[in-house]
Amino acid sequence: MKKNHEYFMRRAIELAVKAKGKTSPNPIVGAVVVKNGRIIAEGFHEQAGLAHAEVVALGKAGVKAKGSTLYVTLEPCVHYGRTPPCTDMILRSGFCEDELRQINESFIKYITKRIPFVTVKVAQSLDGKIATRTGDSKWITSDESRGYAHRIRSQFDAIMVGVNTVRKDDPRLDSWFSKKHPIKIIVDSQLSISQDANLFSGKSQVIIVTLNVRPGQETENRKLLGAKAKILEVKEKDGQINLNDMMKKLARMDITSILVEGGGTLVGSLFDDRLVDRVLFFVSPKIVGGKEAISSVMGRGIERMDKAVKLKKIKLRRFGEDMLVEAYV
């Protein structure tokens, strides 16, 4: 079978995703060198600070690179000189555009909007509950679902939860299956988190997001927590954390992607402020019931059904008895 341009570009995409979660704040990039219809060298950007994909691939090709064609998943040049940039023609052609945008969706949003790409992960019952009326939440979903959730943690720069989740579950927020552990972000407007919380164990950086404090108002607890974590002060909105200000400041710290595993209050507030880009809803075939049971998405919510958050690019997967609904907002 004769190999066409799309074949070689898809191979470059396969190479790029090998480094997913390892190159931030850089994008993931793959490159393939083709000569006479055959791949003679290939490479990908493995980690921020290391050689770029094109350099790796061309270095492997050596002198054989002369007269060859380079396939790369991210345009290397967009400037105007004597002629318009060739990227204009690439974009007009729409060549594997959806796939190329998706593999670097976090980088693209970080560069264009200057805020991180936010994925919300929820484990809920069929009736939308994440805990019973007594607060019991272990375990709603299956071992298979929880294992997959841990595997994908390493693909993100940071894991975010609210302080209520820390108080109730005392999670470590580590990734079981990777040497790379994301930054841990705790949203805690009153800075009330316990200094003995499990998330302070391990080597991952911890960031506690809280409200700005006036000079002279620092508490002893704030000073002690400051020795264990970075205290990130943000603006206030209706007495709570200003989530937009928080996201802008996290982006300035080169955090390009966040996996939110917080409770219904944090998740609902992120939806209210239109900060969610993607959802991963693990749905277990269980009915919890009870008007006092905790829902997966709270916040203010909407007033009319035509204002409901609409999802697209929906994918369904099975994990044991559970169903994963993966979609974009």
Side-chain angles (χ1 to χ4, degrees):
M1 182 184 72
K2 184 177 180 180
K3 297 179 176 63
N4 57 21
H5 295 306
E6 185 175 339
Y7 173 88
F8 295 122
M9 184 59 83
R10 290 192 182 281
R11 175 54 186 161
I13 292 172
E14 289 176 3
L15 292 166
V17 298
K18 286 185 176 184
K20 190 170 179 62
K22 301 176 182 177
T23 63
S24 183
N26 292 351
I28 56 173
V29 184
V32 173
V33 183
V34 176
K35 194 169 187 177
N36 299 324
R38 185 174 64 87
I39 296 176
I40 62 172
E42 54 187 30
F44 63 97
H45 182 44
E46 295 187 28
Q47 183 181 322
L50 298 183
H52 289 184
E54 305 95 312
V55 174
V56 174
L58 291 172
K60 290 179 179 178
V63 295
K64 294 180 181 178
K66 187 174 182 180
S68 64
T69 300
L70 177 67
Y71 292 82
V72 61
T73 58
L74 192 72
E75 310 89 67
C77 174
V78 294
H79 68 274
Y80 280 83
R82 294 180 180 177
T83 59
C86 49
T87 51
D88 286 358
M89 183 176 293
I90 295 171
L91 292 173
R92 284 197 299 271
S93 71
F95 192 64
C96 293
E97 182 178 353
D98 287 345
E99 294 95 326
L100 295 172
R101 284 186 178 278
Q102 185 170 342
I103 65 173
N104 274 313
E105 57 196 6
S106 300
F107 175 75
I108 291 169
K109 185 181 181 186
Y110 166 71
I111 290 296
T112 59
K113 305 293 186 182
R114 290 299 176 187
I115 58 175
F117 187 93
V118 176
T119 298
V120 164
K121 191 220 84 178
V122 166
Q124 67 173 41
S125 63
L126 190 60
D127 56 338
K129 306 299 184 182
I130 59 174
T132 68
R133 57 185 171 81
T134 63
D136 182 39
S137 61
K138 291 184 171 54
W139 295 102
I140 291 178
T141 52
S142 64
D143 290 343
E144 293 91 336
S145 293
R146 295 197 300 277
Y148 178 74
H150 270 273
R151 283 195 294 275
I152 64 172
R153 277 182 175 179
S154 63
Q155 298 176 7
F156 296 85
D157 291 345
I159 309 296
M160 177 182 287
V161 297
V163 67
N164 288 335
T165 297
V166 177
R167 288 199 199 105
K168 181 168 64 72
D169 297 336
D170 199 17
R172 293 177 61 89
L173 299 180
D174 291 329
S175 176
W176 292 345
F177 304 101
S178 174
K179 293 180 180 179
K180 182 221 170 190
H181 297 294
I183 296 168
K184 305 169 186 179
I185 302 175
I186 316 304
V187 181
D188 182 4
S189 61
Q190 302 302 313
L191 211 60
S192 59
I193 187 173
S194 168
Q195 300 164 32
D196 298 321
N198 278 331
L199 61 89
F200 291 119
S201 60
K203 298 180 180 178
S204 298
Q205 180 186 8
V206 178
I207 299 173
I208 305 175
V209 181
T210 193
L211 296 175
N212 285 325
V213 64
R214 295 174 183 173
Q217 290 186 330
E218 283 206 1
T219 63
E220 186 64 26
N221 190 52
R222 178 182 288 260
K223 293 176 182 177
L224 292 172
L225 286 173
K228 293 190 171 187
K230 176 175 177 57
I231 308 296
L232 179 64
E233 297 183 356
V234 301
K235 296 177 182 177
E236 179 182 324
K237 181 181 179 182
D238 300 326
Q240 299 298 320
I241 296 289
N242 185 317
L243 297 177
N244 281 280
D245 186 48
M246 174 186 75
M247 291 298 180
K248 290 175 183 177
K249 288 180 176 175
L250 290 173
R252 290 177 200 152
M253 298 170 67
D254 288 340
I255 294 174
T256 68
S257 62
I258 297 174
L259 179 65
V260 179
E261 297 189 1
T265 300
L266 175 59
V267 169
S269 297
L270 289 166
F271 274 111
D272 287 341
D273 287 355
R274 300 184 180 276
L275 290 169
V276 180
D277 299 290
R278 178 170 166 251
V279 297
L280 298 170
F281 273 52
F282 292 88
V283 182
S284 173
K286 298 174 183 175
I287 304 294
V288 173
K291 64 180 181 180
E292 295 179 1
I294 303 171
S295 298
S296 58
V297 182
M298 298 171 72
R300 294 189 307 274
I302 60 169
E303 295 180 354
R304 303 197 316 269
M305 191 54 68
D306 62 357
K307 298 297 182 182
V309 175
K310 295 179 176 64
L311 303 179
K312 59 185 180 180
K313 298 182 181 178
I314 300 168
K315 294 181 182 178
L316 302 177
R317 297 177 62 181
R318 287 286 297 271
F319 289 92
E321 295 182 341
D322 303 334
M323 181 69 71
L324 169 61
V325 181
E326 178 179 353
Y328 289 83
V329 175

